[in-house]
Amino acid sequence: MAVRAVRGAVQLDRDEAGHMSERVEGLLTEVLERNSLATEDLISIWFTATPELHSDFPAAAARRLGLADVPLICAQELEVAGAMPRVVRILAHTETELPRSGVQHVYLGAAAALRKDIAQ
């Protein structure tokens, strides 16, 4: 079993806790489904949010999905002029049989423009 990293991102329409939860839960669900992962396969998840998002911790959405024993951490994304606003990004470390080339990174909605090179 290999350790792999899975990237992902989603843009929010507004900074509201319920909306953030909905979008982040959707992102995490897609990451798990597209990579045939179970919650037991997750080692840890690093979340970042752009500076204007402050209504809730993105990791709170993961807890609501039942990821109670997965180490989670949140951080603020760098504030760069011209960067896409209201974005939550993830870096999930997993145990999987997938080769590195088989990992599907998930960029939903407008966030797909962030990494056209790896978004699937």
Side-chain angles (χ1 to χ4, degrees), residues 4-115:
R4 301 283 182 229
V6 183
R7 293 288 318 265
V10 65
Q11 186 181 41
L12 279 61
D13 297 326
R14 57 195 175 280
D15 182 30
E16 293 175 3
H19 181 62
M20 179 182 291
S21 181
E22 176 185 305
R23 290 286 172 95
V24 172
E25 286 178 30
L27 174 62
L28 292 171
T29 299
E30 282 292 316
V31 165
L32 293 172
E33 288 178 4
R34 291 188 195 182
N35 290 285
S36 300
L37 297 169
T39 56
E40 296 80 30
D41 299 324
L42 294 169
I43 297 169
S44 64
I45 305 174
W46 185 284
F47 295 86
T48 65
T50 51
E52 65 283 344
L53 294 177
H54 50 15
S55 63
D56 200 1
F57 295 102
R63 296 289 182 227
R64 284 188 278 282
L65 278 178
L67 303 181
D69 63 347
V70 177
L72 308 173
I73 191 165
C74 296
Q76 188 175 73
E77 191 72 36
L78 293 173
E79 189 168 359
V80 176
M84 184 180 289
R86 301 178 316 280
V87 175
V88 174
R89 293 172 172 85
I90 67 163
L91 176 62
H93 301 94
T94 70
E95 292 181 320
T96 180
E97 296 293 339
L98 290 172
R100 186 177 294 176
S101 62
V103 172
Q104 293 191 35
H105 304 283
V106 180
Y107 288 77
L108 299 178
L114 294 172
R115 290 298 307 264

